[in-house]
Amino acid sequence: MPWILDVKSGNIRLVLDGGYPNGHNPIDSHGVSGFGADIPPELVPFRLDIIKAPEPLPEFASYLYNDIYVGETARRLIEELEPSVHQFYETIVTRSGNPVTDRSYFRFQTRKENVLDGALVVEESDVSLRIKKRKLDDGSVVERKVLLPKVRPPRMTWRKSVVQGRHLWAEKRLRNFLIASDELYAAFKSAGVTGFNAQECRFF
């Protein structure tokens, strides 16, 4: 069965605190966000300043927003199961402004092909469908369908035929949750990868 890797509640549980030196998410400031976003080369390396976190730093964690940072162990396990599928961007890590030189950290980004449309069985999941409208500069209005969780973590049911063969994915209409296959979750658990809360899902 697949597993939700909930970094937001993991952040709260571990009392993680940190962010970007200028106070702004560099991806949002460039008009791109969410899993599967194209990262402009000028944003790399990322810079992450950690204010609060346990030692050693968690291997799969979020310090701000839903951005995910991974260590060498998490990166290795992901790439063993899905080589050349995800992106790992070099990150300069500081702790309250002081360089952290004994830790390799990477900003994690899955590719667009692993951001799936229609993989989630809405009627069997704790989510509700909403229509978001946005007015463009030319005066026109665009509509976007989004899914919002009714509870956290939500109960989720996935279409096995859609996610078949994948080990780490997201639903296009529900961007704040990453889902791991049972194989990847088991590998994380065996290696002691921390930073998230796990919630089991179901297949349809």
Side-chain angles (χ1 to χ4, degrees), residues 30-170:
H30 279 67
V32 292
S33 62
F35 303 130
D38 293 323
I39 307 299
E42 61 268 24
L43 295 186
V44 183
F46 283 88
R47 287 168 172 78
L48 174 67
D49 187 59
I50 295 170
I51 300 170
K52 293 180 182 178
E55 289 283 0
L57 298 179
E59 277 285 316
F60 192 95
S62 174
Y63 296 86
L64 190 70
Y65 309 108
N66 291 294
D67 302 346
I68 294 172
Y69 288 88
V70 304
E72 290 279 10
T73 299
R75 175 180 177 170
R76 174 179 55 80
L77 294 173
I78 293 169
E79 291 194 313
E80 283 177 358
L81 286 172
E82 291 190 317
S84 303
V85 172
H86 308 283
Q87 299 289 331
F88 301 88
Y89 296 95
E90 181 186 355
T91 299
I92 296 173
V93 182
T94 55
R95 185 186 285 271
S96 298
N98 298 312
V100 177
T101 57
D102 61 344
R103 176 64 160 170
S104 295
Y105 240 19
F106 306 89
R107 191 187 190 285
F108 170 84
Q109 196 80 5
T110 189
R111 288 186 174 172
K112 290 181 179 178
E113 51 263 38
N114 270 32
V115 181
L116 309 175
D117 191 359
L120 188 69
V121 183
V122 175
E123 59 272 17
E124 296 290 334
S125 304
D126 292 329
V127 296
S128 58
L129 184 63
R130 293 286 186 272
I131 305 288
K132 285 193 174 182
K133 297 182 178 181
R134 183 165 63 94
K135 191 173 183 179
L136 302 180
D137 293 338
D138 61 5
S140 62
V141 177
V142 295
E143 294 184 349
R144 182 166 61 94
K145 293 180 179 180
V146 298
L147 295 171
L148 302 176
K150 296 177 182 177
V151 296
R152 195 173 186 113
R155 173 179 54 90
M156 292 185 184
T157 300
W158 298 91
R159 299 184 195 280
K160 192 171 185 178
S161 59
V162 178
V163 303
Q164 189 74 40
R166 289 181 169 84
H167 291 282
L168 196 56
W169 71 88

